[in-house]
Amino acid sequence: MRELGRRLAKLLRAGDLVMLSGELGAGKTTLTRGLGEGLGVRGAVTSPTFVIARVHPSLGDGPPLVHVDAYRLSGGLDEMEDLDLDVSLPESVVVVEWGEGKVEELTEDRLQVVIHRAVGDTTDEVRQMTITGVGERWASADLSVLGA
C-alpha cells in the first residue's frame, strides 16, 4: 500500500482530490503515508481520526498534503465546510478517508480509490484496488502505471 501511494504521488498535483474507502484496516492511512513520502511533505503521516484533518507542508516546491479522516463525521458537505477544504483544495493535494457522500461536491474531478481486503478470521493480507478517475482531469490519465 505504501509503495502504491508513492507511485500515485507521481500523478498528483495541486488541486487533486483523492477519496479513499475500504474496511477498517484496509490500508487507507498506509497508502496516504506513501503519498506523503512521494510528495515530499513534512511530518509523519498518521491517521487523523481524532483531529479530523492534518496538513503536511511540502519540503520542496510541491503541494502540501491535506489528510482528512471523515469517519466520525455524519453529515455531508455542510459538516465538512468547517474544515475549509474548498479553500485548501486549489493549492493542495487533499486525501479524504471515508469521504463518500461527504466531499464529492468539492470538485467535479476526483480520484476514487476503493481498497478491498478479506475480513473476518483470516490472515489474508492481499488487497484488491479499484481506482476510478472522475471528471476531465482524469479522463486521459494513464492509471495503469499504478499496477503492481
Side-chain angles (χ1 to χ4, degrees), residues 42-64:
R42 184 179 68 211
V45 175
T46 59
S47 178
T49 299
F50 296 103
V51 295
I52 310 300
R54 294 184 195 278
V55 177
H56 298 274
S58 176
L59 292 171
D61 59 358

Side-chain angles (χ1 to χ4, degrees), residues 42-104:
R42 184 179 68 211
V45 175
T46 59
S47 178
T49 299
F50 296 103
V51 295
I52 310 300
R54 294 184 195 278
V55 177
H56 298 274
S58 176
L59 292 171
D61 59 358
L65 171 66
V66 178
H67 183 199
V68 179
D69 186 333
Y71 183 75
R72 298 192 186 287
L73 302 178
S74 58
L77 189 59
D78 291 340
E79 190 173 4
M80 298 292 286
E81 282 183 357
D82 290 341
L83 299 176
D84 286 332
L85 293 180
D86 55 336
V87 173
S88 301
L89 186 58
E91 64 212 28
S92 307
V93 169
V94 176
V95 176
V96 182
E97 297 184 28
W98 307 98
E100 305 79 21
K102 299 174 184 170
V103 297
E104 290 89 340

